[in-house]
Structure formats: structure tokens, C-alpha cells
Amino acid sequence: MTESQENPKESESHAAIEIHGLSKAFGDFYAVKGLSLQVPRNTVFAFLGPNGAGKTTTIKLLLGLTRPTSGGGTILGHDLTMENKRIRSRVGYMAQNQQYSQNMTPRQILRFAARFFYQVDSDQLESKINRVLHLAGLDRMADRKTKGFSGGERQRLGIAQALINDPDLLILDEPAAGLDPQGREDVLDLMQSLRSRATIFYSTHILDDAQRVSDRVAILNKGSLVASAPLSELLAGAEGTVYAVTIRGNPQRARDLITGQPWVNSVQTMEQNGRTKWLVSVRDETVAEEELLRLILRDRSLSVCEFGMKKYELEEIFLRLVEDDRSDN
Amino acid sequence: MIEVTTEVTARTNTEPWYAGTKNLINRELRYERSAMYWIQQLLIWTFLANGFVVLFLSLPADMIAEVLPLPQDTFSLLMFFNMLVLLFSIFIPVLLQGIVIDEKLSGTAAWILSKPVSKKAYLLSKLTAGILAIMGVSVVIQGVIAYGIFIGYGYTLNIPGFLMNLGLTGILVAYIASLTVMIGTLTTSRGKVLAVAIGLTLGSQIVARFFPLVLFLIPCSLPLAGLGLVTGDSVLGLDWMLLSASVQTVMFVLISLFVFDRTEL
């Protein structure tokens, strides 16, 4: 039986991470300001933000490596400040740019990490170490000293040591940063494969990766949360459904016609290489699907080059939210 | 899809504050420095501490008597402990200056403390391992070599007295090591740690020539005061110096633990 099964308090909590009004100030400067966040269990949760947004400070607060100025919360049902050691026994953590002793091999580092959690030197433990080395793709270099390891190899080792205690929550600080495309691919695959048995909370600034593997996303800027939502919701955009239409010809008459429809919110116009691009935000997707293209083509002088529902990229949403936040301040 | 382990291995009790101490000490002693590093240390200490013993025991006795009116073996023994005190004042701060600072700055401390281990266990392990390693290389091994050299030159040392004085030397190691670690918890500057630790230990020996009471406040001359234990001479003030060293060592450790517990990583 695992510890989480034994502890009724832990199983009661549906969220792996639940924090309220968490703040961390260094003098007058707030690195994290009133952060409230809920990370459901068994999700891959991306924690995004520009450099200096407070992502690493938040992670350190979650691990009890730094004390909150105010606020609190629970991790796996345990109080953030009062039961920190219990939290750390169920969490796996990989720091950003972690340096490991150059005199140790990956196997020795995993053995060292494992001894904090498990009874020492059993055959079972050694086979666990072997499995984790295999999982992280470190089998071939398991007994080579880490001196001279590439960034990617160190990153794999970081993930391997974080997995050694079969964590219920995996906290990864920039897990794919500095990796080549294949290395990134491997790390993302690994994260996907762990999804079923652990909650993964990771910080990143690589938005493509976040879009690929995350279920939920939170965006932090200057220590404050600017968005937290399921990825699909965030990608749907704030304006509801938006159609992108590219046309050739004089668009004025068609534009007036469309703007006058009760199911249209707004029409945003951009000129591109002698063509006109519209972003038509609609209230009723079903009506728009049937009517929009027909209305445009009523003007027979126009030709439609492209028509389709606009798909937002996470990068677009991210930049807009961070930019909005900047102008609000 | 990559296979993920689900096997359950027997877990340790991570609740006590000292959980993980043995693992940490083991890492410090076995992996933090290479074998070559310790071999180099051993050679340096042997050359500096026991090289002088060989030198003074090889010199003509009347040449020694011109410098200090002491028997040649007593003079050589005095030089042996004198050299250890001098080396401790410089080498211990140099060796231990970074044990807290380096890991604080490199993120290793944060990594280790993300495991279920207390800050107390972490700091005490580093200090204990540092003291054990230095005592091993500089007190135990050098003591054995020195004893062998004296035997080789035909002198028989008073074994209980010699062992007791080596014990006092060990206490001095713990004193300077805990002082260095304490300063390391108060600052992130290696330079400051070195300057304060070396300044205090070496400075006290210079100031003591004018104000001998300083020797009780900063008891770096503990092994010299205990020389009488080996030679059979009186050991004036040794008990007070020992008390001072012990109390201060405990105080430095407590301050280190207090400060480090409040340190943000």
C-alpha cells in the first residue's frame, strides 16, 4: 500500500495543488503576488511566464524551500508550511540547470536520491534504479561520471532523480530548456507517459511544448496570475468563435452587410498584400457556419481566398495576455 | 509509450529530523571530492606537519638548544603541534569555506532539501563530514606518522598523553570548522568567510603575544597548551581553554542551525 492510499486526508483532496493568495516579497519587491491556483490530480499543468515572472519562486514556495510572506495552501492534501516534509516525500522535483556532483555517476546519484525515501541497498531498490535509468534513457551512461555530460544528459538525469520515489506530483522547472529537438521530444514523451500516474506541474517558456502536452495552463506575469484555464478553453480565445476570411476585391459592401448581422460581435480588418483579411467574431457558431460565407459571396465582385475558423496558438494568447497585463499596469 | 514502474519498495521513515543524515555524510565523504584530492591533501599535510618533525629530529641537538632550551624530542613535538595549529588556521577555512555557500549558490542545497530531509540534518551532515575528513587526514594519520617517526629516531612518546593531545587537536578542528561553517551561513561571499575565519584564528595568535587572555577567548593554542600532557609538564589553563573551545563550538553550531533554518534557498 502506498502512503497516499494510507492517508485518508490525502485521498480526500481532489486537487494536487491548491494555493490561496500566496505571496512572496523580497523587501518591497513582490516576486509572487496573491497567487491562487488549483491543479487537479493527474493533469499535466504548464506554468508559463516570461523570465522573472516568479515561476521558480512559486515552485520553491511549493517545496518549502522558501517561506511565503502571506497566503498558503495544500499540496497532495498536506499543508504547505506545516507539513512540508510530508509533501517532499511524495513529490519529485527537477530544478532548472541543476548541477550534480561531477565525481558521481547517474547510478550513484539515483542511489543517493533513493536512500532518502527507501530502505537502503535492497535488490528491489537496485532494480528500481535500473528501471528509472532506462526510463530516462540513461542506461548506456549509467556508470559514467557526470563530468562532461551534455545539457540534455543532465536534464534526463534531473528527471530520473525526480522519478526515483514514484512521486504523486512531479514538479519540473523548465524541463525541456536547452535541449536539442530530439531531447525535447524525449522529455515530452516521458511527460506524456507519466500522465496516468502522477500530476505534472512544470514551468516553461517553450509555448509549443506547453501546447503539445498540457491539459491546463496558467500564465504568470510579474508575480501575478493573468490566466488559468484548461488549454482548450484558453485556445478557444476570449472573443468566442472567430472566423478568418481572406478576400480579394473591394470589401466595403460585404463588410457593412456582415457587421449588421445580429450574430456578429465584431469584424477586425487587416490589409495583406493587396488582400483583405477579416477576423469575424461571432456569437452563434451554428448560424455563422451556415450564413457567413454566403453573405460574403453575395458580392460577386469579391473572391474568397481563404475561409475557416481561426485557431489560436498558445503563443498568441500568451503574448496578448502578458501585453494586456502590461498596459493595465 | 514508455513503461513506468509501479512496484512498491519499502519506504523509510522520513519523519525524524535526523532522517537522511547517514546518506548525506556518506555522499560528502565518498563523492564530494575525488580520491586524488584526498591523496594530495594527505601528501601536503604529511610534508608540512611531519616533514618538520623529521627535520628537527635530524638537526644536531645543540643547534636546537640555541633556538629554545628544550630537549630535541620536546622541541620537535612542539613544532609538530605548532605546525598543525598554523595549518588548521589556514587550511580548514580554505577547505570548508564553500561547503555551504557553493551548494547554496549552485542549487544543490535546494535540490537535496527538496527531498524529505531537514535543514538541520543537511547542515550537521556537512559539518560532521568536514570534521571527520579533516581529522582523519590531519590528526589521526599525521599523529600515527609522527609517532612512527619519533620511534624511528629512538624516542618513546607517552602514548596516553599523546593521544589526549591529539584529542585536543581534534577539538580544535571542530572549533575552527564550526566557526567557518557558521560564517558560511551568514554570508554568500567566500572571501568574507576566509577573511573572518583566518583573521580570527591567525590574528588571535599574534594578539595573544601581547594579551595572553585572548587565548581563552579564541582557543587556537589548545594543542600547545596540552603539550604538557605528553611531556609530563604542567598544563596551566588547559581546562579553561578546553571549556571555552567546547562551549564556543556548540554555540557556533547552534547559531549555524538557527541561521540556516531561516535561509531562503
Side-chain angles (χ1 to χ4, degrees):
Chain A
M1 189 181 276
T2 64
E3 199 173 298
S4 55
Q5 283 169 315
E6 285 167 5
N7 193 338
K9 190 179 169 187
E10 201 171 299
S11 56
E12 277 167 22
S13 172
H14 296 297
I17 300 175
E18 202 163 2
I19 49 176
H20 309 285
L22 200 66
S23 294
K24 178 66 193 176
F26 298 100
D28 292 337
F29 170 72
Y30 272 83
V32 176
K33 204 171 177 182
L35 181 65
S36 296
L37 206 60
Q38 203 171 44
V39 179
R41 283 179 183 249
N42 293 98
T43 52
V44 178
F45 195 103
F47 198 45
L48 308 173
N51 288 339
K55 302 189 294 290
T56 299
T57 306
T58 304
I59 286 175
K60 286 186 172 181
L61 285 165
L62 298 181
L63 290 164
L65 296 171
T66 192
R67 287 162 201 244
T69 307
S70 61
T74 58
I75 311 281
L76 301 169
H78 295 298
D79 186 85
L80 192 64
T81 44
M82 305 300 287
E83 299 173 291
N84 199 266
K85 214 171 172 190
R86 283 197 173 172
I87 292 171
R88 283 181 281 145
S89 69
R90 302 300 312 156
V91 169
Y93 166 61
M94 190 198 85
Q96 194 179 351
N97 301 324
Q98 179 64 55
Q99 302 293 319
Y100 299 99
S101 173
Q102 299 199 332
N103 297 317
M104 292 173 90
T105 65
R107 188 186 302 283
Q108 286 165 339
I109 289 169
L110 292 196
R111 202 175 283 142
F112 168 67
R115 282 173 181 166
F116 288 114
F117 302 97
Y118 301 109
Q119 285 169 16
V120 297
D121 300 332
S122 63
D123 290 344
Q124 239 181 351
L125 185 61
E126 289 304 312
S127 68
K128 178 188 278 290
I129 290 169
N130 283 330
R131 270 200 302 274
V132 173
L133 283 166
H134 176 68
L135 189 68
L138 289 167
D139 325 53
R140 283 191 302 130
M141 53 200 81
D143 298 304
R144 207 181 84 196
K145 287 188 176 173
T146 61
K147 193 175 186 175
F149 264 32
S150 69
E153 288 163 344
R154 275 206 301 273
Q155 210 79 338
R156 285 161 195 263
L157 178 55
I159 294 180
Q161 63 77 30
L163 289 173
I164 199 69
N165 59 325
D166 288 332
D168 293 327
L169 171 64
L170 199 54
I171 298 179
L172 310 172
D173 198 355
E174 299 279 1
L179 297 184
D180 58 27
Q182 185 57 54
R184 264 176 64 193
E185 197 69 21
D186 290 350
V187 167
L188 297 180
D189 280 352
L190 189 57
M191 285 166 68
Q192 293 274 27
S193 70
L194 293 166
R195 172 195 293 269
S196 59
R197 60 177 317 273
T199 308
I200 303 176
F201 180 86
Y202 74 106
S203 75
T204 185
H205 65 271
I206 306 172
L207 301 173
D208 280 351
D209 295 353
Q211 190 161 347
R212 231 190 83 185
V213 295
S214 315
D215 305 315
R216 294 179 74 95
V217 170
I219 299 175
L220 196 69
N221 190 38
K222 292 179 186 163
S224 301
L225 193 67
V226 286
S228 177
L231 185 66
S232 52
E233 212 172 275
L234 208 62
L235 291 175
E239 303 94 340
T241 307
V242 174
Y243 284 86
V245 189
T246 307
I247 50 179
R248 202 165 46 209
N250 183 354
Q252 196 51 51
R253 230 175 68 198
R255 190 182 195 282
D256 292 343
L257 184 65
I258 290 165
T259 316
Q261 300 303 315
W263 40 271
V264 172
N265 277 328
S266 64
V267 179
Q268 206 183 328
T269 307
M270 288 164 279
E271 294 296 329
Q272 280 180 346
N273 307 325
R275 294 173 182 183
T276 304
K277 184 175 183 181
W278 288 340
L279 292 178
V280 184
S281 165
V282 299
R283 277 188 208 104
D284 190 330
E285 197 181 318
T286 325
V287 181
E289 206 173 292
E290 285 174 10
E291 296 295 322
L292 185 57
L293 189 58
R294 279 196 193 108
L295 285 173
I296 297 167
L297 290 172
R298 267 191 204 173
D299 185 342
R300 301 186 72 88
S301 68
L302 296 178
S303 47
V304 175
C305 308
E306 279 178 337
F307 180 86
M309 206 181 277
K310 175 161 173 56
K311 284 199 170 68
Y312 278 95
E313 291 297 314
L314 186 56
E315 188 164 346
E316 225 171 316
I317 310 276
F318 173 82
L319 289 173
R320 199 173 57 205
L321 286 169
V322 170
E323 201 52 49
D324 286 352
D325 187 49
R326 202 171 290 164
S327 49
D328 287 350
N329 292 329
Chain B
M1 181 74 77
I2 301 164
E3 190 199 335
V4 180
T5 169
T6 51
E7 194 176 320
V8 179
T9 313
R11 288 188 176 257
T12 53
N13 178 10
T14 57
E15 285 299 315
W17 70 266
Y18 52 82
T21 309
K22 195 176 154 196
N23 189 23
L24 285 163
I25 292 177
N26 182 48
R27 166 184 170 265
E28 286 290 324
L29 291 177
R30 287 182 65 187
Y31 301 117
E32 268 311 281
R33 312 269 189 191
S34 64
M36 186 51 71
Y37 173 87
W38 288 117
I39 291 170
Q40 284 169 357
Q41 285 297 318
L42 193 61
L43 291 174
I44 293 169
W45 284 85
T46 306
F47 176 74
L48 292 174
N50 276 304
F52 280 96
V53 174
V54 172
L55 176 73
F56 292 125
L57 287 176
S58 307
L59 289 174
D62 49 349
M63 193 187 277
I64 299 279
E66 277 177 31
V67 182
L68 256 181
L70 286 174
Q72 191 165 17
D73 57 337
T74 308
F75 181 84
S76 302
L77 198 62
L78 176 68
M79 287 300 125
F80 171 70
F81 284 110
N82 228 332
M83 188 53 80
L84 284 184
V85 169
L86 180 71
L87 291 174
F88 289 159
S89 306
I90 299 165
F91 272 77
I92 296 178
V94 169
L95 290 172
L96 300 184
Q97 58 170 327
I99 63 164
V100 177
I101 293 173
D102 286 355
E103 291 202 345
K104 228 163 40 176
L105 297 178
S106 71
T108 304
W111 168 55
I112 292 174
L113 289 166
S114 73
K115 312 293 178 205
V117 61
S118 68
K119 284 184 173 176
K120 281 190 192 75
Y122 172 79
L123 192 75
L124 285 177
S125 307
K126 293 197 84 67
L127 181 63
T128 307
I131 291 172
L132 286 176
I134 294 170
M135 272 173 67
V137 171
S138 67
V139 181
V140 178
I141 297 181
Q142 299 313 319
V144 171
I145 294 173
Y147 189 80
I149 293 170
F150 277 98
I151 295 281
Y153 276 86
Y155 297 102
T156 309
L157 294 177
N158 161 17
I159 294 179
F162 186 62
L163 287 177
M164 272 196 272
N165 212 30
L166 285 178
L168 293 176
T169 313
I171 289 171
L172 180 61
V173 171
Y175 172 82
I176 301 177
S178 57
L179 171 70
T180 308
V181 168
M182 181 189 73
I183 302 166
T185 60
L186 295 168
T187 176
T188 49
S189 158
R190 281 165 149 262
K192 281 182 191 163
V193 178
L194 270 184
V196 176
I198 295 180
L200 274 176
T201 48
L202 276 185
S204 69
Q205 289 162 66
I206 297 165
V207 175
R209 293 183 184 179
F210 310 102
F211 305 102
L213 281 178
V214 169
L215 291 177
F216 294 96
L217 194 64
I218 303 169
C220 287
S221 302
L222 197 58
L224 304 179
L227 200 65
L229 295 171
V230 196
T231 59
D233 296 327
S234 64
V235 283
L236 205 63
L238 178 66
D239 43 0
W240 285 107
M241 211 181 271
L242 180 61
L243 183 69
S244 170
S246 309
V247 170
Q248 285 188 64
T249 302
V250 172
M251 214 173 69
F252 294 154
V253 172
L254 292 177
I255 292 171
S256 305
L257 292 174
F258 181 81
V259 174
F260 192 66
D261 203 39
R262 281 148 189 80
T263 300
E264 310 250 313
L265 297 164

